[in-house]
Amino acid sequence: MSYPGYPPAGYPPFPGYPPTGQESSFPPPGQYPYPSGFPPMGGGAYPPAPSSGYPGPGGYPAPGSYPGAPQPGGAPAYPGVPPGPGFGAPPGGAGFPGYPQPPAQAYGGPAQVPLPGGYPGGQMPSQYPGGQAPYPSQPAMMTQGTQGTIRPAANFDAMRDAEILRKAMKGFGTDEQAIVDVVSSRSNDQRQKIKAAFKTMYGKDLIKDLKSELSGNMEELILALFMPLTYYDAWSLRNAMKGAGTQERVLIEILCTRTNQEIREIVRCYQSEFGRDLEKDIRSDTSGHFERLLVSMCQGNRDENQTVNHQLAQDDAQRLYQAGEGKLGTDESCFNMVLATRSFPQLKATMEAYHRMANRDLLSSIGREFSGNVENGLKAILQCALNRSAFFAERLYCSMKGAGTDDSTLVRIVVTRSEIDLVQIKQVFNQMYQKTLSTMIAGDTSGDYRKLLLAIVGQ
C-alpha cells in the first residue's frame, strides 16, 4: 500500500509507515459497498466563587477552590496517571494511517477527557498543508498509559517553599537556581498553595515579586507555571484575540483538542476573569467556515462515548467522500458536522474507513478541499484523534527548527503537558526526529530559562 507524496522530501522513512492495513479493525475491501505577554492576572474569582479565598490584585485561585476546578495532579484519568477532572486528554497529532496511537482508554473512560496551547504570530508551521512530518509506528511504551515529567512532591510544605522563594528574591540580586529548584519540582496544585502561603506569611503577592525579579522568557515561563491550568488556557485565548490581529493557531490548538468539561470550564473562566463572552470574541475575530468550526468547538458538546460504531464510521467516510472528493466543490458543513460531533476514537475509525474506500487518507483530502485556517483546524482535530503526543512533538519541533525560537509555543506546550504526557511526547519526539527534546531545547535556549525548561522536561 503506498501513499503518494509521503513521506515528504527530506524526511527519512519510519518503521511501520506506510501501514500494512493489518492493524485496521475494518473488514477487507469487498465487504462494504465502496463507491470508489501576560495580561493582568486580575483578582476576580475563577470561575465565580465569592469565598475563593484569593482576593487582591494579581491573584487567581488555586485549583480546587471553585466547582469543577482542576484537582491535585491536574491530570486526566488515563492509565498510569492520577485522576483529576480539571485537565484533559492527551493531545496528539498525526498525519496518516499507521500513525502511533495511544490506547483508546487514554481519551476518556468514566472521567470525561481532552488539550492546551497556542501559537503566537497566527501562522501554522511550514509543513501545513501537505508536508507534515511522517510519524513513527506505535512505540510499545505508548500502550502503557501516559504520564508527566512533574509529579506532586512528597513531604510538601508550602510555607517552607514560600520562605525559600522569599530568600531567593530578598536583598541584592536574585538566586534563580533556588527558584528553578522549587518551581520545577512541584505540581501546579502545589504551586497554588505556595502562592497562597507566600501572601499569608509576608502580605505580598508572589507573582508581583517574581515579575519584579525576572524578565523575558524566564519571566514568561515562571508566570505560566504559576497559572492554574484552566486559567492559562483562557488567558491564552484572550491574548490570541486582543489587540490587532488574531493568533489563529492558539484558537485551533486549544478549542480543537479539549474535552467537553475542559471547554466549558474555559468558557466560564474566560467570562469571570476577563468579563467577556468567548463565543462573541471568536465571532468578532474570525469569519466564514473557520468561525463556524470554532463556534462548534466552544460549545463543548462532542460525543465522548469511547465505543466505536464501525457502521457509523463507514457511513461518515461515505458522507465525507461525497461532500469533498466525490463532487465538484465542497460541502463544508458536512465536514464541520462530522469532525465537531464525533468522539476521537470514532474519528480515527472513520479515517481508516475513508482510506480503504477512497485509497487516500482523509487528511490529504482535507488538504485538497480546504485551505487556510479552516484546513488547519480540521486537520488538528483529526491529528488529535490519531495521536496527541505526536501532535505536540511536531509542534515543539516546529517551534525550535530553523532560525529563531517560538518561545511562547515552547513554553506553553512544556508547561501544559508537564503533568499529563510529556514523557510520551519526549519518546515520540526522539523517534520522529532522531534527537532528544532536551538536546534541541539546550541548543535553542540559554541561561536560567534553559535550566528551568530542562528541569521540567528532564534529561
Side-chain angles (χ1 to χ4, degrees), residues 40-375:
M41 296 175 213
Y46 158 62
S51 59
S52 67
Y54 291 85
Y60 33 79
S65 64
Y66 57 88
Q71 299 301 311
Y78 334 156
V81 179
F87 204 75
F96 331 105
Y99 192 109
Q101 170 64 23
Q105 303 95 296
Y107 297 110
Q112 299 296 320
V113 220
L115 139 139
Y119 293 76
Q123 297 185 5
M124 293 297 286
S126 59
Q127 278 111 323
Y128 296 91
Q132 295 94 332
Y135 296 97
S137 58
Q138 169 78 348
M141 55 251 187
M142 293 285 291
T143 64
Q144 302 303 314
T146 57
Q147 68 184 89
T149 56
I150 292 181
R151 299 294 183 90
N155 304 315
F156 171 67
D157 185 334
M159 297 182 72
R160 180 185 61 200
D161 287 346
E163 185 177 3
I164 293 171
L165 294 178
R166 171 66 174 157
K167 287 179 179 177
M169 295 183 286
K170 187 177 180 181
F172 182 75
T174 304
D175 184 355
E176 284 89 354
Q177 187 60 53
I179 297 175
V180 168
D181 291 342
V182 170
V183 173
S184 65
S185 58
R186 305 293 184 269
S187 68
N188 188 278
D189 180 65
Q190 290 174 335
R191 291 183 213 117
Q192 308 311 313
K193 291 180 170 65
I194 294 170
K195 189 167 55 180
F198 192 93
K199 183 171 284 190
T200 299
M201 294 166 68
Y202 304 113
K204 300 182 68 178
D205 187 271
L206 175 59
I207 301 304
K208 287 187 174 180
D209 276 13
L210 287 168
K211 283 175 69 71
S212 69
E213 297 289 334
L214 305 169
S215 63
N217 294 324
M218 180 65 169
E219 176 187 351
E220 181 175 353
L221 177 54
I222 287 282
L223 297 184
L225 286 163
F226 274 99
M227 287 187 187
L229 293 172
T230 304
Y231 179 93
Y232 192 18
D233 274 353
W235 176 85
S236 296
L237 290 170
R238 178 65 193 130
N239 195 52
M241 291 185 283
K242 72 176 183 179
T246 303
Q247 298 172 20
E248 289 87 358
R249 289 189 301 174
V250 179
L251 308 182
I252 289 170
E253 190 178 339
I254 295 175
L255 293 174
C256 292
T257 56
R258 298 296 190 276
T259 60
N260 294 342
Q261 179 182 338
E262 287 178 322
I263 288 174
R264 290 166 185 167
E265 289 176 358
I266 290 167
V267 169
R268 288 195 298 267
C269 175
Y270 194 92
Q271 176 69 53
S272 63
E273 284 296 320
F274 310 116
R276 305 178 67 92
D277 182 274
L278 178 57
E279 183 177 327
K280 287 183 180 178
D281 279 0
I282 288 171
R283 290 185 183 279
S284 67
D285 270 59
T286 61
S287 61
H289 296 293
F290 182 53
E291 172 195 335
R292 293 168 203 166
L293 178 64
L294 294 185
V295 168
S296 294
M297 294 297 99
C298 75
Q299 304 310 303
N301 285 326
R302 180 181 298 281
D303 178 17
E304 291 184 329
N305 183 349
Q306 301 304 293
T307 302
V308 173
N309 181 330
H310 292 293
Q311 183 59 54
L312 177 62
Q314 178 64 25
D315 294 343
D316 281 347
Q318 298 259 11
R319 187 178 289 117
L320 293 173
Y321 181 82
Q322 292 164 3
E325 298 275 11
K327 64 175 289 188
L328 184 63
T330 306
D331 180 359
E332 293 88 355
S333 62
C334 178
F335 282 84
N336 194 98
M337 183 277 291
V338 173
L339 271 65
T341 61
R342 306 298 190 240
S343 70
F344 287 118
Q346 185 68 38
L347 286 174
K348 181 175 183 291
T350 299
M351 294 175 77
E352 292 176 349
Y354 188 95
H355 183 265
R356 287 179 174 275
M357 179 189 69
N359 197 31
R360 60 170 45 125
D361 65 88
L362 182 54
L363 278 158
S364 296
S365 293
I366 286 176
R368 283 187 287 273
E369 298 293 322
F370 294 88
S371 62
N373 292 315
V374 67
E375 174 194 352

Side-chain angles (χ1 to χ4, degrees), residues 37-38 87 91 115-123 217 220-222 224-225 227 229 232-237 239-240 247-254 258 391-392 395-396 399 406-422 425 449 453 456:
F38 292 87
F87 204 75
L115 139 139
Y119 293 76
Q123 297 185 5
N217 294 324
E220 181 175 353
L221 177 54
I222 287 282
L225 286 163
M227 287 187 187
L229 293 172
Y232 192 18
D233 274 353
W235 176 85
S236 296
L237 290 170
N239 195 52
Q247 298 172 20
E248 289 87 358
R249 289 189 301 174
V250 179
L251 308 182
I252 289 170
E253 190 178 339
I254 295 175
R258 298 296 190 276
F391 177 86
F392 277 115
R395 276 146 183 75
L396 284 169
S399 75
D406 181 352
D407 292 289
S408 292
T409 296
L410 176 58
V411 166
R412 183 174 50 254
I413 295 177
V414 167
V415 169
T416 55
R417 307 319 298 172
S418 62
E419 295 180 49
I420 309 293
D421 58 355
L422 192 50
I425 292 170
Y449 174 52
L453 281 173
I456 296 168

Side-chain angles (χ1 to χ4, degrees), residues 421-439:
D421 58 355
L422 192 50
V423 168
Q424 280 68 37
I425 292 170
K426 288 167 56 180
Q427 292 167 345
V428 175
F429 189 98
N430 190 29
Q431 192 174 11
M432 288 167 64
Y433 303 109
Q434 284 77 55
K435 64 173 69 177
T436 68
L437 177 57
S438 297
T439 298

